[in-house]
Amino acid sequence: MNNKTLVFKIDESNFADTISKAADIIKQGGTVAFPTETVYGLGADALDPVAVRKIFEAKGRPADNPLIVHIASRDSLDIIAKDIPPIAFELMDAFWPGPLTLVLKRTSAVPDITTGGLDTVAVRMPDNPVALALIKVAGTPLAAPSANTSGRPSPTTAEHVISDLSGRIDAVIDGGAVEVGVESTVLDVTSDVPAILRPGGVSLEDIKKYVGEVVIGYTDQAVEEGDVVRSPGMKYTHYSPKTRVVLVEGDGMAVAAKISELIDNYSEKNMRVGLLITDETAEHVSADEMYSLGRRDKPEDAARNLFAGLRYLDERDVDISVSVSVNVNVIIVDGSIKCDGVGVAVLNRLRKAANELIEV
Ligand code: TXA
Ligand code: MG
């Protein structure tokens, strides 16, 4: 595989030139990580099976977990999808460009490897100028999963991408930190009643304004082997730091009291604690390493902080060269974040990342 990953720092002064260099790599069948509004994606030509294979190899992604195909204009829809129901167009009018992925029937132009062999294809139009320009200039839809090693927390900065994939991909476009911080909502509109297969940047409340009935087709738990799932991605571990993660959920005061008790217990065992914590809970407890999720009633801030926080605390364990930090043996996560809007997606990601869930 590649051993040198190019890093393109993009700004207004070099925008067109950078996009053109990155698009050339895509046209030659290479892989380029790029910012979207949700998380960084690892892109390749969605219609080129050889290029798409490189994405699976770089991430260590299981071959049956399909990729989202990103487009910059609805003109490209007909190339990849067919029999698109009217409700899909209504949702596109409402949410595109933006963090809503629609599962549609696929055309034969989309290779099996992109869809994991399914007869459907997941499509979205990202709301980020770098992503849109890259797709346009490359002149092809881009298959792009989150640009992390499979199973790790998703990347919200170019540094996260480099930390996971340096030497394994051709290039990364550094466009700064993303805006949303959790991935898109995946909505299957191929059946009579649409089903949410992954909660994300567009909330259930928002979708319900357009769709009369909607099924919740995901779980917050890691699915056991052999279970039947509608979205292959549900089968696999997700968002997991190497360090043990303990999630405490419930009402604010009760969560703060429980976390305080846990910190005492771990300290007695000489374990170092890292806290991923809301500002309110932080008024009551402290630990060796802390990372703020923001305020409990601001789930959009928690969305922006959660993956960066998990990565930060995880590194405190492995990176002994960082002399100012201590080794963290357990990460305690404060789950008192308000569970509505994007908060639903935040808690879903935290539950999937957790090794242990304590409800108080
Ligand atoms: O926000 C996002 O969606 C980011 C950015 C880069 O666009 N992408 C992303 O991709 O999160 P990925 O590959 O990490 O997650 C795609 C999810 C997986 O859970 C996968 O199983 C599901 O979408 N998926 C893809 N194609 C599908 C299909 N045809 N049917 C059902 N689920 C599908
Ligand atoms: Mg992912």
Side-chain angles (χ1 to χ4, degrees), residues 38 41 61 65-66 68 70 120 122 124 145-146 183-184 198 231 233:
T38 57
R61 184 178 176 105
N65 193 1
I68 295 173
H70 296 67
T120 54
R124 91 172 186 102
S146 49
E183 303 86 341
S184 61
R198 179 177 71 182
S231 186

Side-chain angles (χ1 to χ4, degrees), residues 70-112:
H70 296 67
I71 58 173
S73 144
R74 283 202 220 171
D75 298 342
S76 327
L77 265 178
D78 287 343
I79 304 169
I80 53 179
K82 62 181 181 188
D83 307 334
I84 303 174
I87 184 63
F89 290 107
E90 284 171 43
L91 291 162
M92 290 173 205
D93 288 341
F95 299 109
W96 280 9
L100 178 68
T101 294
L102 296 172
V103 174
L104 304 166
K105 286 210 179 106
R106 73 148 158 170
T107 65
S108 55
V110 186
D112 277 346

